[in-house]
Coordinates of all heavy atoms in Angstrom, one line a residue:
A255 N -15.2 4.7 -16.4 CA -13.9 4.2 -16.5 C -13.8 3.1 -17.6 O -12.8 2.9 -18.2 CB -13.3 3.6 -15.2
N256 N -15.0 2.5 -17.9 CA -15.0 1.4 -18.9 C -15.7 1.9 -20.1 O -16.0 1.1 -21.0 CB -15.7 0.2 -18.3 CG -14.8 -0.5 -17.3 OD1 -13.7 -1.0 -17.6 ND2 -15.2 -0.5 -16.0
G257 N -16.0 3.2 -20.2 CA -16.6 3.7 -21.5 C -18.1 3.3 -21.7 O -18.6 3.2 -22.8
L258 N -18.8 3.0 -20.6 CA -20.2 2.6 -20.7 C -21.1 3.7 -20.2 O -20.8 4.5 -19.3 CB -20.4 1.4 -19.8 CG -19.6 0.2 -20.2 CD1 -19.8 -1.0 -19.2 CD2 -20.0 -0.3 -21.6
E259 N -22.3 3.8 -20.8 CA -23.3 4.7 -20.3 C -24.0 4.2 -19.1 O -24.1 3.0 -18.9 CB -24.4 4.9 -21.4 CG -23.9 5.6 -22.6 CD -23.7 7.1 -22.4 OE1 -24.5 7.7 -21.6 OE2 -22.7 7.6 -22.9
S260 N -24.5 5.1 -18.1 CA -25.2 4.7 -17.0 C -26.6 4.2 -17.4 O -27.2 4.9 -18.2 CB -25.3 5.8 -16.0 OG -24.0 6.2 -15.5
P261 N -27.1 3.2 -16.9 CA -28.5 2.7 -17.2 C -29.5 3.6 -16.6 O -29.2 4.3 -15.6 CB -28.6 1.3 -16.7 CG -27.6 1.3 -15.5 CD -26.5 2.3 -15.9
A262 N -30.7 3.6 -17.1 CA -31.8 4.4 -16.5 C -32.1 3.8 -15.1 O -32.0 2.6 -14.9 CB -33.1 4.3 -17.4
L263 N -32.5 4.6 -14.2 CA -32.7 4.2 -12.8 C -34.1 3.5 -12.8 O -35.1 4.1 -13.1 CB -32.6 5.3 -11.8 CG -31.3 6.0 -11.7 CD1 -31.3 7.2 -10.8 CD2 -30.3 5.0 -11.2
H264 N -34.2 2.3 -12.3 CA -35.4 1.6 -12.0 C -35.2 0.5 -11.0 O -34.0 0.1 -10.9 CB -36.0 1.2 -13.3 CG -35.3 0.1 -14.0 ND1 -34.2 0.5 -14.8 CD2 -35.3 -1.2 -14.0 CE1 -33.7 -0.6 -15.3 NE2 -34.3 -1.7 -14.9
G265 N -36.2 -0.1 -10.4 CA -36.0 -1.1 -9.5 C -35.6 -0.7 -8.2 O -35.6 0.5 -7.8
M266 N -35.1 -1.6 -7.3 CA -34.7 -1.3 -6.0 C -33.4 -0.6 -5.9 O -32.5 -0.9 -6.7 CB -34.6 -2.6 -5.2 CG -35.9 -3.3 -5.0 SD -35.6 -4.8 -3.9 CE -34.9 -5.9 -5.1
R267 N -33.3 0.4 -5.1 CA -32.0 1.1 -4.8 C -31.8 1.2 -3.4 O -32.8 1.3 -2.6 CB -32.1 2.5 -5.5 CG -32.1 2.4 -7.0 CD -32.0 3.8 -7.6 NE -33.1 4.6 -7.2 CZ -34.2 4.8 -7.9 NH1 -34.4 4.1 -8.9 NH2 -35.1 5.7 -7.4
F268 N -30.6 1.1 -2.9 CA -30.3 1.1 -1.5 C -29.3 2.2 -1.2 O -28.3 2.4 -2.0 CB -29.8 -0.2 -1.0 CG -30.8 -1.3 -1.2 CD1 -30.7 -2.1 -2.3 CD2 -31.8 -1.5 -0.3 CE1 -31.6 -3.1 -2.5 CE2 -32.7 -2.5 -0.4 CZ -32.6 -3.3 -1.6
D269 N -29.3 2.9 -0.1 CA -28.4 3.9 0.3 C -27.3 3.3 1.2 O -26.4 4.1 1.6 CB -29.0 5.1 1.0 CG -29.6 4.8 2.3 OD1 -29.8 3.6 2.6 OD2 -29.9 5.8 3.0
R270 N -27.3 2.1 1.4 CA -26.2 1.4 2.2 C -25.7 0.2 1.4 O -26.5 -0.7 1.0 CB -26.7 0.9 3.5 CG -27.3 2.0 4.5 CD -26.1 2.9 4.9 NE -26.5 3.9 5.9 CZ -26.7 5.2 5.5 NH1 -26.5 5.6 4.3 NH2 -27.1 6.1 6.4
S271 N -24.4 0.1 1.3 CA -23.8 -1.0 0.6 C -24.2 -2.4 1.1 O -24.4 -3.2 0.3 CB -22.3 -0.8 0.6 OG -21.9 0.3 0.0
F272 N -24.2 -2.5 2.4 CA -24.5 -3.8 2.9 C -25.9 -4.3 2.5 O -26.1 -5.5 2.4 CB -24.3 -3.9 4.4 CG -25.3 -3.3 5.2 CD1 -26.4 -4.0 5.7 CD2 -25.3 -1.9 5.6 CE1 -27.4 -3.4 6.5 CE2 -26.2 -1.3 6.4 CZ -27.3 -2.1 6.8
L273 N -26.8 -3.4 2.4 CA -28.2 -3.8 2.0 C -28.2 -4.3 0.5 O -28.9 -5.3 0.3 CB -29.2 -2.6 2.2 CG -29.5 -2.2 3.6 CD1 -30.3 -0.9 3.6 CD2 -30.3 -3.3 4.3
A274 N -27.5 -3.6 -0.3 CA -27.4 -4.0 -1.7 C -26.7 -5.3 -1.8 O -27.2 -6.2 -2.6 CB -26.7 -2.9 -2.5
L275 N -25.7 -5.5 -1.1 CA -24.9 -6.8 -1.1 C -25.8 -7.9 -0.6 O -25.8 -9.0 -1.2 CB -23.6 -6.7 -0.4 CG -22.6 -5.7 -1.1 CD1 -21.4 -5.5 -0.1 CD2 -22.1 -6.3 -2.4
A276 N -26.5 -7.7 0.5 CA -27.3 -8.7 1.1 C -28.4 -9.1 0.2 O -28.8 -10.3 0.1 CB -27.8 -8.3 2.5
T277 N -29.1 -8.1 -0.4 CA -30.1 -8.4 -1.4 C -29.7 -9.2 -2.5 O -30.3 -10.2 -2.9 CB -30.8 -7.0 -1.8 OG1 -31.2 -6.4 -0.7 CG2 -31.9 -7.3 -2.8
A278 N -28.5 -8.8 -3.1 CA -28.0 -9.6 -4.2 C -27.6 -11.0 -3.8 O -27.9 -12.0 -4.5 CB -26.8 -8.9 -4.8
A279 N -27.0 -11.1 -2.6 CA -26.7 -12.5 -2.1 C -27.9 -13.4 -1.9 O -27.8 -14.6 -2.0 CB -25.9 -12.3 -0.8
E280 N -29.0 -12.7 -1.7 CA -30.2 -13.5 -1.5 C -30.9 -13.9 -2.8 O -32.0 -14.4 -2.9 CB -31.2 -12.8 -0.6 CG -30.8 -12.7 0.8 CD -30.8 -14.0 1.5 OE1 -31.7 -14.9 1.2 OE2 -29.8 -14.3 2.3
G281 N -30.3 -13.4 -3.9 CA -30.8 -13.8 -5.2 C -31.9 -12.8 -5.8 O -32.6 -13.1 -6.7
L282 N -32.0 -11.6 -5.2 CA -33.0 -10.7 -5.6 C -32.5 -9.6 -6.6 O -33.3 -8.7 -6.8 CB -33.6 -10.0 -4.3 CG -34.3 -11.0 -3.4 CD1 -34.7 -10.3 -2.1 CD2 -35.4 -11.6 -4.0
G283 N -31.3 -9.7 -7.1 CA -30.9 -8.7 -8.0 C -29.4 -8.7 -8.2 O -28.7 -9.6 -7.7
V284 N -28.9 -7.6 -8.7 CA -27.5 -7.4 -9.0 C -27.0 -6.2 -8.2 O -27.7 -5.2 -8.1 CB -27.3 -7.2 -10.5 CG1 -25.8 -6.8 -10.8 CG2 -27.7 -8.4 -11.3
A285 N -25.8 -6.2 -7.6 CA -25.3 -5.1 -6.9 C -24.0 -4.7 -7.6 O -23.1 -5.5 -7.9 CB -25.0 -5.5 -5.5
L286 N -23.9 -3.4 -7.9 CA -22.7 -2.8 -8.5 C -22.0 -2.2 -7.2 O -22.4 -1.1 -6.8 CB -22.9 -1.8 -9.6 CG -23.7 -2.3 -10.8 CD1 -24.0 -1.2 -11.7 CD2 -22.8 -3.3 -11.5
E287 N -21.0 -2.9 -6.7 CA -20.5 -2.5 -5.4 C -19.0 -2.8 -5.4 O -18.5 -3.6 -6.2 CB -21.3 -3.2 -4.3 CG -21.0 -2.7 -2.9 CD -21.1 -1.2 -2.8 OE1 -22.3 -0.6 -2.8 OE2 -20.1 -0.5 -2.7
S288 N -18.4 -2.3 -4.4 CA -16.9 -2.6 -4.2 C -16.7 -4.0 -3.9 O -17.4 -4.7 -3.1 CB -16.5 -1.7 -3.0 OG -15.2 -2.2 -2.5
T289 N -15.6 -4.6 -4.6 CA -15.3 -6.0 -4.3 C -14.7 -6.1 -2.9 O -14.8 -7.2 -2.3 CB -14.3 -6.5 -5.4 OG1 -13.2 -5.7 -5.5 CG2 -15.0 -6.7 -6.7
L290 N -14.1 -5.1 -2.4 CA -13.6 -5.1 -1.1 C -14.7 -5.3 -0.1 O -14.6 -6.1 0.8 CB -12.8 -3.8 -0.8 CG -12.2 -3.7 0.6 CD1 -11.1 -4.7 0.7 CD2 -11.6 -2.3 0.7
L291 N -15.8 -4.6 -0.3 CA -17.0 -4.7 0.6 C -17.7 -6.1 0.4 O -18.3 -6.6 1.4 CB -18.0 -3.6 0.4 CG -17.5 -2.2 0.8 CD1 -18.5 -1.1 0.4 CD2 -17.1 -2.1 2.3
A292 N -17.6 -6.7 -0.7 CA -18.3 -7.9 -1.0 C -17.4 -9.1 -0.8 O -17.7 -10.3 -1.1 CB -18.8 -7.9 -2.4
E293 N -16.2 -8.9 -0.3 CA -15.1 -9.9 -0.2 C -15.7 -11.2 0.5 O -15.5 -12.3 0.0 CB -14.0 -9.3 0.7 CG -12.7 -10.0 0.6 CD -11.6 -9.2 1.3 OE1 -11.8 -8.7 2.4 OE2 -10.6 -9.0 0.6
R294 N -16.4 -11.1 1.6 CA -16.9 -12.3 2.3 C -17.9 -13.1 1.5 O -17.8 -14.3 1.3 CB -17.6 -11.9 3.6 CG -17.0 -12.6 4.8 CD -17.7 -12.2 6.1 NE -18.0 -10.8 6.1 CZ -18.8 -10.2 7.0 NH1 -19.2 -10.9 8.0 NH2 -19.0 -8.9 7.0
E295 N -18.8 -12.4 0.8 CA -19.8 -13.0 0.0 C -19.2 -13.7 -1.2 O -19.7 -14.7 -1.7 CB -20.9 -12.0 -0.4 CG -21.9 -11.6 0.8 CD -21.3 -10.5 1.6 OE1 -20.1 -10.0 1.3 OE2 -21.9 -10.1 2.6
L296 N -18.2 -13.0 -1.8 CA -17.5 -13.6 -3.0 C -16.8 -14.8 -2.6 O -16.8 -15.8 -3.3 CB -16.6 -12.5 -3.6 CG -17.2 -11.3 -4.3 CD1 -16.2 -10.3 -4.6 CD2 -17.8 -11.8 -5.6
A297 N -16.1 -14.8 -1.5 CA -15.3 -15.9 -1.0 C -16.2 -17.1 -0.7 O -15.8 -18.3 -1.0 CB -14.5 -15.6 0.2
A298 N -17.4 -16.8 -0.2 CA -18.3 -17.9 0.2 C -19.1 -18.4 -1.0 O -19.9 -19.4 -0.9 CB -19.2 -17.4 1.3
G299 N -19.0 -17.7 -2.2 CA -19.8 -18.1 -3.3 C -21.2 -17.6 -3.3 O -22.0 -18.0 -4.2
R300 N -21.6 -16.8 -2.4 CA -22.9 -16.2 -2.4 C -23.1 -15.1 -3.5 O -24.2 -14.8 -3.9 CB -23.2 -15.6 -1.0 CG -23.5 -16.7 0.1 CD -24.0 -16.2 1.4 NE -23.0 -15.2 2.0 CZ -22.1 -15.6 2.9 NH1 -21.9 -16.9 3.2 NH2 -21.3 -14.7 3.4
L301 N -22.0 -14.5 -3.9 CA -22.0 -13.5 -4.9 C -20.9 -13.9 -5.9 O -19.9 -14.6 -5.6 CB -21.7 -12.1 -4.4 CG -22.7 -11.4 -3.6 CD1 -22.2 -10.1 -3.1 CD2 -24.0 -11.3 -4.4
V302 N -21.1 -13.5 -7.2 CA -20.0 -13.7 -8.2 C -19.7 -12.3 -8.8 O -20.5 -11.3 -8.7 CB -20.5 -14.6 -9.3 CG1 -20.7 -16.0 -8.8 CG2 -21.7 -14.1 -10.0
A303 N -18.5 -12.2 -9.3 CA -18.0 -10.9 -10.0 C -17.9 -11.2 -11.5 O -16.9 -11.6 -12.0 CB -16.7 -10.5 -9.4
P304 N -19.0 -11.1 -12.2 CA -19.1 -11.5 -13.6 C -18.1 -10.7 -14.6 O -17.8 -11.2 -15.6 CB -20.5 -11.2 -14.0 CG -21.0 -10.2 -13.1 CD -20.3 -10.4 -11.8
L305 N -17.7 -9.5 -14.1 CA -16.8 -8.7 -15.0 C -15.4 -8.8 -14.6 O -14.5 -8.1 -15.1 CB -17.3 -7.2 -15.0 CG -18.7 -7.0 -15.6 CD1 -19.0 -5.5 -15.5 CD2 -18.8 -7.6 -17.0
A306 N -15.1 -9.6 -13.6 CA -13.6 -9.8 -13.1 C -12.8 -10.2 -14.3 O -13.2 -11.1 -15.1 CB -13.6 -10.8 -12.0
E307 N -11.6 -9.6 -14.5 CA -10.7 -9.9 -15.6 C -11.2 -9.4 -16.9 O -10.6 -9.6 -17.9 CB -10.4 -11.4 -15.7 CG -10.0 -12.0 -14.3 CD -8.6 -11.4 -13.9 OE1 -7.7 -11.1 -14.7 OE2 -8.5 -11.3 -12.6
R308 N -12.4 -8.8 -17.1 CA -12.9 -8.2 -18.3 C -13.1 -6.7 -18.3 O -13.2 -6.2 -19.4 CB -14.3 -8.9 -18.6 CG -14.3 -10.4 -18.8 CD -15.6 -10.8 -19.3 NE -15.9 -12.1 -18.8 CZ -17.0 -12.8 -19.1 NH1 -18.0 -12.2 -19.7 NH2 -17.1 -14.0 -18.6
A309 N -13.1 -6.1 -17.2 CA -13.3 -4.7 -17.1 C -12.3 -4.1 -16.2 O -11.8 -4.7 -15.3 CB -14.8 -4.4 -16.6
A310 N -12.0 -2.8 -16.4 CA -11.0 -2.1 -15.6 C -11.6 -1.8 -14.2 O -12.8 -1.4 -14.2 CB -10.6 -0.8 -16.3
N311 N -10.9 -2.1 -13.2 CA -11.4 -1.7 -11.9 C -11.4 -0.2 -11.7 O -10.5 0.5 -12.2 CB -10.5 -2.3 -10.8 CG -10.7 -3.8 -10.6 OD1 -11.8 -4.3 -10.9 ND2 -9.6 -4.6 -10.2
I312 N -12.4 0.3 -11.0 CA -12.4 1.7 -10.8 C -11.8 2.0 -9.4 O -12.1 1.4 -8.4 CB -14.0 2.2 -10.8 CG1 -14.5 2.0 -12.2 CG2 -14.0 3.7 -10.4 CD1 -16.0 2.2 -12.3
R313 N -10.9 2.9 -9.4 CA -10.0 3.1 -8.2 C -10.7 4.2 -7.4 O -11.1 5.2 -7.9 CB -8.7 3.5 -8.6 CG -7.7 3.6 -7.5 CD -6.3 3.6 -8.0 NE -5.4 3.6 -6.9 CZ -4.9 4.7 -6.4 NH1 -5.0 5.9 -6.9 NH2 -4.1 4.6 -5.4
Y314 N -10.9 3.9 -6.1 CA -11.4 4.8 -5.1 C -10.5 6.0 -4.9 O -9.3 5.8 -4.8 CB -11.7 4.1 -3.8 CG -12.1 5.1 -2.7 CD1 -13.4 5.5 -2.7 CD2 -11.2 5.5 -1.8 CE1 -13.7 6.4 -1.6 CE2 -11.5 6.4 -0.7 CZ -12.8 6.8 -0.7 OH -13.2 7.6 0.3
V315 N -11.0 7.2 -5.0 CA -10.1 8.4 -4.8 C -10.4 9.2 -3.5 O -9.6 10.0 -3.2 CB -10.0 9.3 -6.1 CG1 -9.4 8.6 -7.2 CG2 -11.4 9.7 -6.4
G316 N -11.6 9.1 -3.0 CA -11.9 9.8 -1.8 C -13.3 10.4 -1.8 O -14.1 10.2 -2.6
H317 N -13.5 11.1 -0.7 CA -14.8 11.8 -0.4 C -14.5 13.3 -0.4 O -13.4 13.8 -0.1 CB -15.4 11.4 0.9 CG -15.9 10.0 0.9 ND1 -16.9 9.6 0.3 CD2 -15.4 8.9 1.5 CE1 -17.2 8.3 0.5 NE2 -16.2 7.9 1.2
R318 N -15.6 14.1 -0.6 CA -15.5 15.5 -0.5 C -16.5 16.0 0.6 O -17.6 15.5 0.6 CB -15.8 16.3 -1.8 CG -14.8 15.9 -2.8 CD -14.9 16.8 -4.0 NE -14.1 16.4 -5.1 CZ -12.8 16.7 -5.3 NH1 -12.2 17.4 -4.4 NH2 -12.2 16.2 -6.3
L319 N -16.1 17.0 1.4 CA -17.0 17.6 2.4 C -17.5 18.9 1.8 O -16.6 19.8 1.6 CB -16.3 17.7 3.7 CG -17.1 18.5 4.8 CD1 -18.4 17.7 5.1 CD2 -16.3 18.7 6.0
V320 N -18.7 19.0 1.4 CA -19.3 20.3 0.9 C -20.4 20.7 1.8 O -21.2 20.0 2.2 CB -19.8 20.0 -0.6 CG1 -20.4 21.3 -1.1 CG2 -18.7 19.4 -1.4
F321 N -20.4 22.0 2.1 CA -21.4 22.5 3.0 C -21.7 24.0 2.7 O -20.9 24.7 2.1 CB -21.0 22.4 4.5 CG -19.7 23.0 4.8 CD1 -19.6 24.4 5.3 CD2 -18.5 22.3 4.6 CE1 -18.4 24.9 5.6 CE2 -17.2 22.9 4.9 CZ -17.2 24.2 5.4
P322 N -23.0 24.4 3.0 CA -23.3 25.8 2.8 C -22.6 26.7 3.7 O -22.1 26.3 4.7 CB -24.9 25.8 3.0 CG -25.1 24.7 3.9 CD -24.0 23.6 3.6
R323 N -22.6 28.0 3.3 CA -21.8 29.0 4.1 C -22.8 29.6 5.2 O -22.5 30.7 5.6 CB -21.3 30.0 3.2 CG -20.2 29.5 2.3 CD -19.6 30.7 1.6 NE -18.7 30.2 0.6 CZ -17.3 30.2 0.8 NH1 -16.8 30.8 1.8 NH2 -16.6 29.7 -0.2
A324 N -23.8 28.9 5.6 CA -24.8 29.4 6.6 C -24.0 29.6 7.9 O -23.5 28.6 8.4 CB -25.9 28.5 6.7
P325 N -24.0 30.8 8.5 CA -23.3 31.1 9.7 C -23.7 30.2 10.9 O -22.8 29.8 11.6 CB -23.6 32.5 10.0 CG -24.1 33.1 8.7 CD -24.7 32.0 8.0
R326 N -25.0 29.9 11.0 CA -25.3 29.1 12.2 C -24.9 27.6 12.1 O -24.7 27.0 13.1 CB -26.9 29.1 12.4 CG -27.7 28.5 11.3 CD -29.2 28.7 11.5 NE -29.9 28.3 10.3 CZ -30.3 27.0 10.1 NH1 -30.0 26.1 11.0 NH2 -31.0 26.7 9.1
Q327 N -24.6 27.1 10.9 CA -24.1 25.8 10.7 C -22.6 25.7 10.7 O -22.0 24.6 10.8 CB -24.7 25.1 9.5 CG -26.2 24.9 9.6 CD -26.7 24.4 8.2 OE1 -26.1 24.4 7.2 NE2 -28.0 23.9 8.3
H328 N -22.0 26.8 10.4 CA -20.5 26.8 10.1 C -19.7 26.2 11.3 O -18.8 25.4 11.0 CB -20.0 28.2 9.8 CG -18.6 28.3 9.4 ND1 -18.3 27.9 8.1 CD2 -17.6 28.7 10.0 CE1 -17.0 28.0 8.0 NE2 -16.5 28.6 9.1
A329 N -20.0 26.6 12.5 CA -19.2 26.1 13.6 C -19.2 24.6 13.8 O -18.2 23.9 13.9 CB -19.6 26.7 14.9
A330 N -20.4 24.0 13.6 CA -20.6 22.5 13.7 C -19.8 21.8 12.6 O -19.2 20.8 12.8 CB -22.0 22.2 13.8
V331 N -20.0 22.4 11.4 CA -19.4 21.8 10.2 C -17.8 21.9 10.3 O -17.1 21.0 10.0 CB -19.9 22.4 8.9 CG1 -19.1 21.9 7.7 CG2 -21.4 22.1 8.7
R332 N -17.4 23.0 10.7 CA -15.9 23.2 10.9 C -15.4 22.3 11.9 O -14.3 21.7 11.7 CB -15.6 24.7 11.3 CG -14.2 25.0 11.5 CD -13.2 24.8 10.4 NE -13.7 25.3 9.2 CZ -13.4 24.8 8.0 NH1 -12.7 23.7 7.9 NH2 -13.9 25.3 6.9
A333 N -16.1 22.1 13.0 CA -15.7 21.2 14.0 C -15.6 19.7 13.5 O -14.6 19.0 13.7 CB -16.6 21.2 15.3
F334 N -16.6 19.3 12.7 CA -16.5 18.0 12.1 C -15.4 17.9 11.1 O -14.6 16.9 11.1 CB -17.9 17.7 11.3 CG -17.8 16.5 10.5 CD1 -17.8 15.2 11.2 CD2 -17.7 16.5 9.2 CE1 -17.8 14.1 10.5 CE2 -17.6 15.3 8.4 CZ -17.7 14.1 9.1
A335 N -15.2 18.9 10.3 CA -14.1 18.9 9.3 C -12.7 18.8 10.0 O -11.8 18.0 9.6 CB -14.2 20.1 8.4
D336 N -12.6 19.6 11.1 CA -11.3 19.5 11.8 C -11.1 18.2 12.4 O -10.0 17.6 12.4 CB -11.3 20.6 12.9 CG -11.2 22.0 12.3 OD1 -10.9 22.1 11.1 OD2 -11.5 22.9 13.2
W337 N -12.1 17.6 12.9 CA -12.0 16.2 13.5 C -11.7 15.2 12.5 O -10.8 14.4 12.7 CB -13.4 15.9 14.2 CG -13.4 14.4 14.7 CD1 -12.8 13.9 15.8 CD2 -14.0 13.3 14.0 NE1 -13.0 12.5 15.9 CE2 -13.7 12.2 14.8 CE3 -14.7 13.2 12.8 CZ2 -14.1 10.9 14.4 CZ3 -15.1 11.9 12.5 CH2 -14.8 10.8 13.2
I338 N -12.3 15.2 11.4 CA -12.1 14.1 10.3 C -10.7 14.3 9.8 O -10.0 13.3 9.6 CB -13.2 14.2 9.2 CG1 -13.2 12.9 8.5 CG2 -13.0 15.2 8.3 CD1 -13.8 11.7 9.2
K339 N -10.2 15.6 9.6 CA -8.8 15.8 9.2 C -7.8 15.2 10.2 O -6.8 14.6 9.8 CB -8.6 17.2 8.8 CG -9.3 17.6 7.5 CD -8.8 19.0 7.1 CE -9.4 20.1 8.0 NZ -9.2 21.4 7.5
S340 N -8.1 15.5 11.5 CA -7.2 15.0 12.5 C -7.2 13.4 12.5 O -6.1 12.8 12.7 CB -7.5 15.6 13.8 OG -8.7 15.0 14.4
E341 N -8.3 12.8 12.4 CA -8.4 11.4 12.3 C -7.6 10.8 11.1 O -7.0 9.8 11.2 CB -9.9 10.9 12.2 CG -10.6 11.1 13.5 CD -10.1 10.3 14.7 OE1 -10.0 9.0 14.5 OE2 -9.8 10.9 15.8
L342 N -7.7 11.5 10.0 CA -7.0 11.1 8.8 C -5.6 11.6 8.7 O -4.8 11.2 7.8 CB -7.8 11.5 7.6 CG -9.2 10.9 7.4 CD1 -9.9 11.6 6.3 CD2 -9.1 9.4 7.2
R343 N -5.2 12.4 9.7 CA -3.9 13.1 9.7 C -3.6 13.8 8.4 O -2.6 13.6 7.8 CB -2.8 12.0 10.0 CG -2.9 11.5 11.4 CD -2.0 10.3 11.6 NE -2.0 9.8 12.9 CZ -3.0 9.0 13.4 NH1 -4.0 8.6 12.6 NH2 -3.0 8.5 14.6
V344 N -4.6 14.6 8.1 CA -4.5 15.5 6.8 C -4.4 16.9 7.2 O -5.0 17.4 8.2 CB -5.8 15.3 6.0 CG1 -5.8 16.2 4.8 CG2 -5.9 13.9 5.5
S345 N -3.5 17.6 6.6 CA -3.3 19.0 6.9 C -4.3 19.9 6.2 O -4.9 19.4 5.2 CB -1.9 19.5 6.5 OG -1.8 19.4 5.1
A346 N -4.6 21.1 6.7 CA -5.6 22.0 6.1 C -5.1 22.4 4.8 O -5.7 22.4 3.8 CB -5.8 23.2 7.0

């Protein structure tokens, strides 16, 4: 969204946002994460948003559910998809 190339992957990586935020708050690196998720740490001064007011915010648009057409998994995946749609009140 800001016309920048992605950097090469190196260093620590986390599959959970809270781990990345906690690690950055402890001074062990930088987290590229949602300001909404980092709200508490930002307010307390444990994290800073160095690009605030300098870069365009990237707007969240959603998730996609992608699954193989394997018959044995289809019923479970369909049940999950139906449940999540009902929770979100989304039509098929």
Side-chain angles (χ1 to χ4, degrees):
N256 288 296
L258 302 173
E259 292 287 324
S260 297
L263 297 176
H264 63 279
M266 294 183 285
R267 292 185 300 267
F268 301 95
D269 68 343
R270 298 289 183 260
S271 296
F272 77 93
L273 290 174
L275 292 169
T277 301
E280 291 296 321
L282 298 173
V284 175
L286 298 175
E287 193 49 76
S288 163
T289 53
L290 183 63
L291 294 176
E293 202 169 45
R294 236 182 319 174
E295 288 82 2
L296 289 167
R300 289 189 296 270
L301 290 177
V302 296
L305 299 178
E307 308 297 323
R308 293 190 212 175
N311 285 331
I312 297 171
R313 190 162 182 263
Y314 172 78
V315 292
H317 294 287
R318 298 191 187 277
L319 176 61
V320 181
F321 55 92
R323 295 184 185 260
R326 63 186 174 85
Q327 295 176 345
H328 186 73
V331 173
R332 177 58 48 212
F334 174 73
D336 291 344
W337 172 79
I338 199 78
K339 285 189 291 188
S340 72
E341 289 294 308
L342 296 171
R343 292 173 180 77
V344 175
S345 65

